[in-house]
Amino acid sequence: MKSDRAKKGIERAPHRSLFKAAGFSDDELKRPLIGIANAFNEIVPGHVHLRQIVDAVKAGVREAGGVPVEFGVIGVCDGIAMNHEGMKYSLPSRDLIADSIEIMAMAHAFDALVLVTSCDKITPGMLMAALRLDIPAILISGGPMLTGVYKKQKVHLISVFEAIGRVKAGEMRENELLELEACACPTCGSCAGMFTANSMNCLAEALGLALPGNGTIPAVFADRIRLAKETGRKVMELLKKKLTPRKIATKKAFENAIAVDMALGCSTNTVLHMLAIAREAGVDLTLKDFDRISRSVPVLAKLIPAGEHSVADLHFAGGIPAVMKELLKAGVIHPEVKTVTGKTIKALLEKAEILDPEVIRPIDKAYQKEGGIAVLYGSLAPEGSVVKTSAVVPEMMVHTGPARVFDSEEEAYKAILSGKIKKGDVVVIRYEGPKGGPGMREMLSPTSALMGMGLGDSVALITDGRFSGGTRGACIGHVCPEAAEGGPIALVKEGDLIEINIPERRLELKVSPKELEERKKNWQPVKKELKGVLKKYYQLVKSTTLGAIVE
């Protein structure tokens, strides 16, 4: 056992003395030590109940002969951090989470890991750590939140964000907004739609590093506790079989996960995170892989925010296994890939079926022929940009309009709410990339304001920042190179025409190369006073094409 290097032999008597000071018995010190990374805290709704999940995981570990050793992991609630300085710290937390798990696992010689997560950057950070360490590991999330009900309508977090625009537009009263905010998020769990948290927890399942149901069983269901117990037992099997994450998360496994990503129309943040996770796995994954798979995988579900169905609805319809079974029929899933269940994908999906064809459509009745995310290139994004096509209305799939340029999210948000953005405009928000922010903030508030003010079907938004999984509309993010690196987005001027053509995967700035060269000569980057974590992040972060990794 790996842990023996910290607890076996006469030379480790001092070490055992410290273990015993923590309450470990001689019998426990003969068993495998299983690190339980617990992201519980009292502020993130997706994490407030994780103590109960961890207790169940520990029970499973003990039942199977291991010794669970719990330690804490930080976590940011993107919703609470949204639209202020706090969002600059969300993406940097991903790499800090990965680093902290690595430190705990290596310093204390854990034999295996169970990663207990839920929300946006915590899940990818934990997966990055698992693949970096490559010791037996399995992930379990706290599960999705249920939707609320307001005036007989299904509501959720994005309903509240978009309601701000409705109030500003005079379509909703402030007292109604207060009523809505009180019922939109009715339970613990990761927010109810196919936003980033649920997207990543579903993809962890599709990748083979979490048990079936991980992404979709609601947080408040007893099934979630039973899944946690099974997760604890299963990690002991992985240890006995010496089945580690890198043996599971191969290139084909990543392609399976991306296929599910495209079929569900997941958050565009998945592109950023999957690139970073693949790098830790030693897998060569690029933006071109996402676009290639997108062209061959149809959209089978329209989940919140692209449609009306919640992640709980997806669960009742058959969950990720049902989606993968349908994709397997279409020949876009690799069936031989291993999973933490000990079974291959093919064996795992034998009994899977679609239980509600209104939620998960069969291939021959797909919502659209191509996947829910597209990668656009062109003179405005020479190295690529990303858009959630499943959440774009048909009339905005091709659009040309004048640029309305802002050097921060706050400037753009103020302009939108004050009625300065008109139909046909293309809002450009720059200096919000990994370096430019720094931290690559999500633009959920501006996009929600556009929707709430009735501009979602006529105005596009382009940024070198990123979007929440809750964003809908013609919103193109991850524009690379970013403004802080002198990319073309830094050279856009008010009124420049921008052409968007999603079917042709193009994003063009309609300015001559000669004119752009002249503008580049006079360009000066925006300077920001930085300290602490953000200063380190600015110095070390790489481009979005590499997953905004830190190295």
Side-chain angles (χ1 to χ4, degrees):
M1 291 185 294
K2 183 178 179 180
S3 61
D4 283 347
R5 70 188 187 196
K7 58 186 174 68
K8 188 176 182 179
I10 191 171
E11 298 87 354
R12 295 296 179 256
H15 303 61
R16 290 192 296 274
S17 181
L18 290 168
F19 275 112
K20 289 175 179 178
F24 289 84
S25 67
D26 285 326
D27 180 60
E28 286 177 315
L29 292 177
K30 294 175 183 176
R31 303 182 201 172
L33 298 182
I34 311 301
I36 313 293
N38 183 5
F40 163 83
N41 61 51
E42 293 183 335
I43 194 167
V44 183
H47 291 240
V48 294
H49 63 304
L50 292 187
R51 281 176 173 164
Q52 188 178 15
I53 301 294
V54 166
D55 285 345
V57 169
K58 288 179 178 178
V61 169
R62 290 192 184 101
E63 182 183 323
V67 178
V69 184
E70 178 186 346
F71 63 94
V73 173
I74 66 165
V76 171
C77 176
D78 277 19
I80 294 174
M82 196 70 66
N83 196 224
H84 60 85
E85 288 294 300
M87 178 50 72
K88 293 183 178 182
Y89 290 84
S90 177
L91 188 56
S93 76
R94 181 192 70 180
D95 298 84
L96 185 57
I97 288 163
D99 291 348
S100 65
I101 293 172
E102 176 192 357
I103 288 169
M104 288 298 290
M106 294 302 293
H108 303 105
F110 293 141
D111 295 295
L113 288 170
V114 179
L115 308 165
V116 185
T117 180
S118 266
C119 291
D120 300 59
K121 309 307 169 295
I122 300 92
T123 297
M126 287 186 167
L127 290 173
M128 289 167 67
L131 286 157
R132 183 186 302 174
L133 291 163
D134 202 32
I135 60 175
I138 186 169
L139 181 137
I140 179 169
S141 78
M145 183 185 290
L146 298 181
T147 52
V149 177
Y150 180 66
K151 294 185 176 180
K152 299 182 180 181
Q153 298 293 317
K154 185 184 290 185
V155 292
H156 44 84
L157 180 64
I158 307 307
S159 307
V160 187
F161 270 100
E162 294 183 359
I164 297 169
R166 293 177 61 198
V167 171
K168 292 288 185 178
E171 296 179 2
M172 188 179 197
R173 295 190 301 272
E174 284 191 41
N175 69 301
E176 291 178 307
L177 177 59
L178 291 174
E179 292 171 359
L180 174 61
E181 74 177 52
C183 63
C185 299
T187 73
C188 61
S190 44
C191 297
M194 191 51 77
F195 313 143
T196 304
N198 291 325
S199 294
M200 288 308 304
N201 290 325
C202 286
L203 296 193
E205 188 178 328
L207 193 57
L209 294 177
L211 295 177
N214 175 72
T216 59
I217 296 173
V220 293
F221 280 21
D223 278 352
R224 177 63 56 179
I225 302 301
R226 288 191 284 271
L227 186 72
K229 289 178 181 177
E230 178 59 21
T231 297
R233 290 190 288 267
K234 192 61 67 174
V235 76
M236 296 304 295
E237 289 184 20
L238 296 175
L239 181 58
K240 289 174 185 175
K241 294 177 180 177
K242 297 182 180 179
L243 185 56
T244 62
R246 289 195 182 193
K247 294 175 183 175
I248 294 169
T250 61
K251 179 67 178 282
K252 289 183 177 180
F254 276 95
E255 291 180 342
N256 285 349
I258 294 170
V260 171
D261 191 345
M262 298 303 166
L264 295 179
C266 291
S267 165
T268 52
N269 280 317
T270 59
V271 178
L272 201 67
H273 298 322
M274 293 295 278
L275 289 170
I277 295 164
R279 194 172 181 88
E280 297 288 0
V283 169
D284 182 20
L285 194 69
T286 69
L287 281 176
K288 292 181 179 179
D289 290 305
F290 284 86
D291 198 54
R292 169 177 57 82
I293 295 170
S294 176
R295 291 178 185 275
S296 63
V297 176
V299 174
L300 302 184
K302 283 279 188 177
L303 303 167
I304 298 168
E308 63 180 16
H309 299 126
S310 68
V311 178
D313 294 331
L314 176 63
H315 178 67
F316 296 131
I320 301 306
V323 173
M324 296 187 77
K325 181 73 169 283
E326 200 64 21
L327 296 177
L328 184 61
K329 293 177 186 176
V332 293
I333 288 287
H334 301 290
E336 73 278 15
V337 170
K338 296 177 182 178
T339 71
V340 288
T341 64
K343 299 179 181 179
T344 63
I345 289 291
K346 182 178 181 180
L348 194 63
L349 300 182
E350 282 182 1
K351 296 181 180 179
E353 60 178 316
I354 295 175
L355 302 176
D356 186 344
E358 292 299 314
V359 178
I360 304 173
R361 288 192 176 183
I363 290 287
D364 59 357
K365 295 183 179 179
Y367 282 100
Q368 58 191 59
K369 292 181 180 179
E370 293 188 353
I373 294 176
V375 180
L376 312 185
Y377 295 91
S379 58
L380 188 54
E383 295 178 12
S385 60
V386 180
V387 61
K388 186 173 182 174
T389 61
S390 58
V392 180
V393 294
E395 52 266 42
M396 289 299 290
M397 295 294 281
V398 178
H399 177 77
T400 299
R404 304 299 308 280
V405 184
F406 304 94
D407 286 348
S408 72
E409 178 191 4
E410 288 85 353
E411 290 177 23
Y413 189 53
K414 183 178 179 180
I416 294 166
L417 291 181
S418 61
K420 294 180 180 179
I421 303 302
K422 308 301 181 184
K423 290 185 177 182
D425 286 347
V426 178
V427 176
V428 176
I429 305 177
R430 62 191 179 191
Y431 295 103
E432 290 287 6
K435 284 186 178 293
M440 202 180 184
R441 289 192 290 180
E442 291 182 344
M443 303 293 136
L444 178 58
S445 291
T447 60
S448 296
L450 289 172
M451 296 304 298
M453 297 185 76
L455 296 172
D457 60 354
S458 61
V459 172
L461 193 151
I462 296 171
T463 181
D464 53 5
R466 57 195 178 91
F467 296 112
S468 161
T471 286
R472 58 192 178 114
C475 302
I476 301 166
H478 305 201
V479 171
C480 194
E482 63 172 295
E485 297 276 24
I489 192 171
L491 310 178
V492 181
K493 289 186 176 181
E494 188 81 6
D496 285 347
L497 287 181
I498 293 177
E499 179 188 356
I500 300 165
N501 192 318
I502 295 173
E504 294 184 7
R505 305 295 199 266
R506 290 191 293 108
L507 181 61
E508 305 288 353
L509 176 59
K510 308 300 283 185
V511 175
S512 71
K514 185 177 180 180
E515 171 64 16
L516 289 179
E517 285 179 17
E518 288 300 314
R519 293 183 187 182
K520 186 66 179 284
K521 291 177 183 177
N522 299 317
W523 172 76
Q524 293 291 331
V526 173
K527 293 184 178 180
K528 300 181 180 181
E529 292 296 324
L530 302 173
K531 60 182 179 180
V533 171
L534 295 183
K535 184 175 183 179
K536 294 176 186 176
Y537 191 76
Y538 172 82
Q539 293 170 338
L540 299 174
V541 70
K542 303 301 179 184
S543 79
T544 54
T545 58
L546 297 176
I549 58 170
V550 171
E551 64 176 24

